[in-house]
Amino acid sequence: MFDIGVNLTSSQFAKDTAQVVERAREAGVTGMLITGTDLPESEAASALARQYRGFCWSTAGVHPHQASSWNDDIALQIGALAAREEVVAIGECGLDFNRNFSTPQEQEAAFSAQLALAAELAMPVFLHCRDAHARFVALLEPWLDKLPAAVVHCFTGNEEELAGCLSLGLSVGITGWVCDERRGLALRALLPKIPVDRLLLETDAPYLLPRDLQPKPASRRNEPCFLPHIVRQVATWRQEDAQWLAQETDRNARRLFRLA
Ligand SMILES: [Zn+2]
């Protein structure tokens, strides 16, 4: 099973990165994609992926929260990072109108520029969309025929938005959000509507500790070693075999990000 969303550069992992990676392996995780969210984090993600070569890969990009940092120099440096072997996608990039840490205008400019960069480099994109579906689709759609693949990570949208993403040919990343009995039930009901070849699974660690995980770690920190729990739960709600789903979603990740 492959974890497509690990924020391994988070300060929450600074003290025990090696143990976190080892625990993931022992839990049956077969690979992970380390998320880059701005230029320094993308550089750090690439360095970690090199350190754990063959088990970790990374993305290079600027998250919508950090979109105000986007400029021509950062674009060049993200482009340079993207040439590295372990960097397999541009992102995470997209729109987040939930908190607007950068203005919508800044977010749209940074998103469009990263789509153009990914198209120029013919690289997959790792996308983030929150409360911004209509603008997200409007900006993304013109680029889709130039992008080899695209995944909307941590999908939390509604049925109509899911149908929209699927009709555009996007793959969908599901996190432990779906394990939340307060806010994850609507998404849980949509799980069977995602074709298995478009489904990817992720922890988004250290965020989004699955609320139904037992026992809970004292730190409340999410880790990639909890991916098997998410796989089991998603398989149950899709009425599929967990081991089979783990293999299928691992295969999807390797195909989408073109991993050796
Ligand atoms: Zn995200």
Side-chain angles (χ1 to χ4, degrees):
M1 65 192 82
F2 197 103
D3 191 342
I4 67 149
V6 184
N7 300 280
L8 198 62
T9 62
S10 163
S11 59
Q12 292 191 50
F13 291 130
K15 289 206 179 89
D16 62 347
T17 315
Q19 289 94 316
V20 168
V21 172
E22 191 49 39
R23 269 197 292 277
R25 284 186 203 266
E26 283 169 8
V29 175
T30 47
M32 56 172 99
L33 186 62
I34 307 172
T35 315
T37 52
D38 61 14
L39 180 60
E41 298 285 316
S42 297
E43 280 168 349
S46 159
L48 280 170
R50 284 187 172 189
Q51 199 175 333
Y52 300 103
R53 189 182 294 273
F55 186 69
C56 295
W57 290 264
S58 69
T59 71
V62 174
H63 188 282
H65 288 340
Q66 275 82 39
S68 59
S69 72
W70 185 263
N71 59 37
D72 291 347
D73 181 53
I74 292 203
L76 280 175
Q77 296 192 59
I78 294 288
L81 272 179
R84 295 186 181 179
E85 191 187 347
E86 71 280 1
V87 179
V88 295
I90 296 296
E92 69 180 275
C93 59
L95 301 175
D96 191 321
F97 296 164
N98 183 260
R99 284 181 281 181
N100 283 325
F101 289 144
S102 295
T103 68
Q105 292 78 4
E106 290 166 336
Q107 293 186 39
E108 293 200 4
F111 183 33
S112 293
Q114 289 176 88
L115 292 171
L117 179 62
E120 182 191 325
L121 301 172
M123 283 182 77
V125 284
F126 185 89
L127 302 168
H128 173 109
C129 176
R130 188 111 187 257
D131 297 349
H133 181 78
R135 289 301 296 157
F136 176 80
V137 167
L139 295 180
L140 175 62
E141 195 167 16
W143 294 103
L144 283 174
D145 61 345
K146 298 174 193 74
L147 298 170
V151 55
V152 194
H153 108 100
C154 194
F155 180 83
T156 56
N158 61 29
E159 181 165 12
E160 200 184 334
E161 290 164 354
L162 176 63
C165 289
L166 292 174
S167 73
L168 288 174
L170 308 183
S171 291
V172 178
I174 295 292
T175 61
W177 175 288
V178 77
C179 300
D180 187 325
E181 81 291 353
R182 304 162 309 171
R183 59 180 186 177
L185 293 179
L187 183 60
R188 196 178 295 178
L190 296 179
L191 287 176
K193 296 185 184 293
I194 306 171
V196 71
D197 63 346
R198 302 277 201 91
L199 178 64
L200 297 150
L201 296 172
E202 49 178 326
T203 58
D204 207 24
Y207 315 116
L208 299 180
L209 181 71
R211 271 179 61 86
D212 57 357
L213 185 71
Q214 290 298 340
K216 284 193 175 47
S219 66
R220 303 281 155 154
R221 180 183 72 172
N222 197 8
E223 281 193 33
C225 70
F226 300 137
L227 187 66
H229 173 79
I230 296 171
V231 173
R232 273 195 301 274
Q233 295 295 63
V234 169
T236 302
W237 295 321
R238 286 171 59 89
Q239 300 190 308
E240 289 168 346
D241 176 71
Q243 203 179 344
W244 176 81
L245 188 64
Q247 286 168 357
E248 291 296 311
T249 49
D250 178 84
R251 191 175 309 158
N252 293 343
R254 290 175 193 278
R255 184 183 64 243
L256 200 151
F257 298 115
R258 306 178 295 186
L259 309 182

